[in-house]
Amino acid sequence: MDREAKEEYLVVIQAKDMGGHSGGLSGTTTLTVTLTDVNDNPPKFAQSLYHFSVPEDVVLGTAIGRVKANDQDIGENAQSSYDIIDGDGTALFEITSDAQAQDGIIRLRKPLDFETKRSYTLKVEAANVHTDPRFSSRGPFKDTATVKIVVEDADEPPVFSSPTYLLEVHENAALNSVIGQVTARDPDITSSPIRFSIDRHTDLERQFNVNADDGKITLATPLDRELTVWHNITIIATEIRNHSQISRVPVAIKVLDVNDNAPEFASEYEAFLCENGKPGQVIQTVSATDKDEPKNGHYFLYSLLPEMVNNPNFTIKKNEVIVVLFVTLRRHKNEPLIIKDDEDVRENIIRYDDEGGGEEDTEAFDIATLQNPDGINGFLPRKDIKPDLQFMPRQGLAPVPSGVDVDEFINVRLHEADNDPTAPPYDSIQIYGYEGRGSVAGSLSSLESTTSDSDQNFDYLSDWGPRFKRLGELYSVGESDKET
């Protein structure tokens, strides 16, 4: 039986009694026989040769065409897989199986180039996925077909000779000098002429130009390596016959160093020397820098100015290869700070001839000394020690900005002091009555005494110990003194 030829059979069955003899009774029924499928048929391509065409600029992965091998079996017995087994395009194309439609889909795997190769031939094979060894003698359960693929020409953009360009130029290069060149071509058979330009978004300062015909890059403005070492621009290539076909390429330009900067001292130096300095003593160490970039490092020569060459007091020398300078003292002569005669007894007096800048000189003194020293705790701070607490300014006193006119400042503070009964006077009187908080002894100063000498009793000094015994005897008042 062959299911592919006839799938169902109808069979009539009769039953008789009396052993089938004459005079017996009989009955009939119809039996339907359905044949199940077995994989006994190989797949067969509908045609042995397939033709497809594809443009050269098609996107990778695009389906180029479909091929199908028919199988008379059904179900899983009809499932086939497709493969490319031979041909000159095995690296550029691939074929996948569509489980629903049971056909093979040919897709592009790598880019095509009409100018390089215009056609390809593939040999594809369809084979059953599931085979039955009982029918292996009927031959291989697979089939092959030939696929011809023709590549069509497409208008392609220009192609540069290199994906990137690296150029070098000295920073003192003359204007309009050629730095380098880029080249591009039209890959199409028509070979359209190319025009070059610079993407000005990458060259906002317009430091470079490019020849539209030959791609030579020239210098438009002076370069300075100390400001910018690298310049990155983009060159555009456009087909003259089709302006929509353009390509871009990055160009990196490195500016090479030229010794065009004089050395500079690292900072402004101010040296100080004591009068008792010794010959050979190092007074100052200085160093210099250079904006240029030599390959082997900087090497400077140091010397005194021409008017200082014959100076007998100072000399300079180089410290090995390190870029430092020593200013040393050759000799010196001790001189007194002041001139005084033998009869002058003012041994500790030092004369200064500095003069102030007058009323307009607001930087020669600190007006903070005029601030109110009164604290918020109700006691006066000592002037000879650091206060224990941070005193806050009194309420109502507005802060005075720095740099204010001194006359105006004093008038404002005078007005505040006149209206503040707790403010001490702004004069040179120093208060010595402060003995610290928690002291068992009273004030020893007579400046704040409210009683007369006759009313005071110093007998308590004898209770302070041996150190104050003699002091108590001197200040004690006896009966004989009172009588006299």
Side-chain angles (χ1 to χ4, degrees):
M1 293 182 292
D2 187 1
R3 187 204 64 82
E4 289 73 26
K6 188 173 183 179
E7 186 175 3
E8 289 186 352
Y9 293 89
L10 298 178
V11 180
V12 178
I13 300 176
Q14 183 183 51
K16 293 183 178 181
D17 57 6
M18 296 181 63
H21 293 85
S22 177
L25 299 176
S26 65
T28 60
T29 185
T30 302
L31 177 66
T32 302
V33 179
T34 302
L35 301 181
T36 59
D37 184 52
V38 294
N39 191 4
D40 58 349
N41 292 283
K44 292 290 183 179
F45 282 103
Q47 57 193 74
S48 59
L49 181 62
Y50 293 85
H51 292 274
F52 301 105
S53 61
V54 56
E56 62 176 330
D57 60 351
V58 69
V59 180
L60 298 183
T62 301
I64 297 174
R66 290 172 177 259
V67 296
K68 185 172 183 178
N70 298 316
D71 194 324
Q72 295 182 1
D73 296 321
I74 60 174
E76 65 177 14
N77 294 327
Q79 293 180 359
S80 298
S81 62
Y82 295 87
D83 294 292
I84 299 176
I85 60 175
D86 198 6
D88 55 2
T90 55
L92 279 75
F93 302 94
E94 64 181 1
I95 188 170
T96 58
S97 301
D98 187 346
Q100 298 294 332
Q102 290 296 317
D103 54 7
I105 306 173
I106 300 176
R107 300 179 183 274
L108 182 63
R109 186 176 178 183
K110 291 184 178 181
L112 300 174
D113 186 7
F114 173 81
E115 291 71 27
T116 303
K117 191 174 179 60
R118 304 183 181 183
S119 65
Y120 295 90
T121 301
L122 304 177
K123 185 176 183 180
V124 297
E125 178 185 78
N128 278 151
V129 178
H130 306 282
T131 59
D132 192 337
R134 295 176 299 172
F135 307 100
S136 58
S137 59
R138 298 188 179 184
F141 285 78
K142 55 187 178 182
D143 194 15
T144 60
T146 302
V147 178
K148 292 280 189 179
I149 301 176
V150 177
V151 180
E152 298 177 347
D153 188 23
D155 193 3
E156 300 175 275
V159 178
F160 284 95
S161 59
S162 175
T164 58
Y165 290 87
L166 175 61
L167 307 179
E168 294 181 345
V169 58
H170 286 90
E171 60 178 325
N172 63 345
L175 298 182
N176 299 320
S177 58
V178 178
I179 300 174
Q181 184 179 14
V182 297
T183 57
R185 65 178 181 85
D186 182 8
D188 299 321
I189 296 180
T190 56
S191 186
S192 172
I194 305 297
R195 293 187 66 85
F196 299 94
S197 61
I198 296 179
D199 184 353
R200 291 303 177 182
H201 291 91
T202 62
D203 185 28
L204 297 176
E205 297 180 358
R206 296 182 174 269
Q207 292 188 286
F208 306 96
N209 289 325
V210 62
N211 188 293
D213 299 324
D214 57 15
K216 290 182 178 180
I217 302 174
T218 56
L219 184 62
T221 61
L223 298 175
D224 188 353
R225 188 205 66 85
E226 286 70 39
L227 295 178
T228 306
V229 179
W230 287 95
H231 296 270
N232 297 290
I233 63 175
T234 299
I235 301 296
I236 302 174
T238 307
E239 289 187 10
I240 295 180
R241 298 175 183 174
N242 186 356
H243 292 173
S244 64
Q245 296 297 335
I246 62 174
S247 296
R248 299 170 179 266
V249 67
V251 178
I253 302 175
K254 182 180 181 181
V255 182
L256 302 180
D257 186 38
V258 174
N259 190 10
D260 58 348
N261 290 278
E264 300 176 355
F265 284 101
S267 63
E268 295 184 1
Y269 296 97
E270 183 178 7
F272 297 90
L273 174 65
C274 296
E275 63 168 346
N276 59 350
K278 299 179 180 180
Q281 176 182 343
V282 177
I283 301 174
Q284 182 68 52
T285 302
V286 299
S287 61
T289 59
D290 195 325
K291 295 180 180 179
D292 296 320
E293 187 181 26
K295 296 181 179 179
N296 299 323
H298 294 291
Y299 185 83
F300 301 118
L301 297 177
Y302 297 89
S303 62
L304 293 174
L305 293 176
E307 58 269 21
M308 295 291 295
V309 172
N310 298 324
N311 191 313
N313 293 325
F314 303 97
T315 183
I316 62 174
K317 66 178 181 178
K318 189 78 178 294
N319 184 25
E320 299 178 356
V321 244
I322 305 175
V323 188
V324 294
L325 178 66
F326 291 98
V327 182
T328 58
L329 180 66
R330 288 182 180 173
R331 63 184 181 182
H332 77 282
K333 179 180 179 182
N334 289 329
E335 297 181 357
L337 293 177
I338 61 174
I339 301 176
K340 59 183 180 179
D341 53 27
D342 296 335
E343 297 180 357
D344 194 348
V345 296
R346 296 171 298 175
E347 297 179 353
N348 295 328
I349 295 179
I350 300 178
R351 299 176 182 175
Y352 296 95
D353 58 356
D354 290 343
E355 295 184 0
E359 295 180 354
E360 297 181 356
D361 185 3
T362 61
E363 297 183 359
F365 59 92
D366 185 6
I367 64 175
T369 57
L370 300 178
Q371 299 290 343
N372 188 353
D374 187 22
I376 61 175
N377 295 326
F379 59 87
L380 300 179
R382 293 182 60 178
K383 299 298 182 65
D384 57 337
I385 63 172
K386 183 179 179 181
D388 296 333
L389 301 175
Q390 291 289 340
F391 298 102
M392 301 299 291
R394 298 188 310 276
Q395 297 294 331
L397 296 182
V400 178
S402 59
V404 73
D405 182 71
V406 177
D407 184 63
E408 179 183 355
F409 175 84
I410 295 177
N411 290 332
V412 172
R413 287 295 183 258
L414 179 61
H415 177 73
E416 293 176 352
D418 291 341
N419 292 275
D420 187 356
T422 63
Y426 290 107
D427 52 26
S428 60
I429 297 179
Q430 302 295 323
I431 300 174
Y432 297 94
Y434 182 80
E435 297 294 338
R437 285 171 288 178
S439 175
V440 297
S443 173
L444 299 180
S445 173
S446 62
L447 296 178
E448 293 183 349
S449 300
T450 57
T451 60
S452 63
D453 294 340
S454 59
D455 296 334
Q456 295 188 24
N457 185 0
F458 298 97
D459 293 340
Y460 60 85
L461 294 177
S462 301
D463 300 333
W464 286 8
R467 295 184 180 182
F468 295 92
K469 182 177 181 182
R470 181 57 181 167
L471 184 63
E473 293 177 355
L474 295 176
Y475 281 88
S476 62
V477 180
E479 294 295 332
S480 60
D481 295 333
K482 293 181 180 180
E483 294 177 358
T484 59

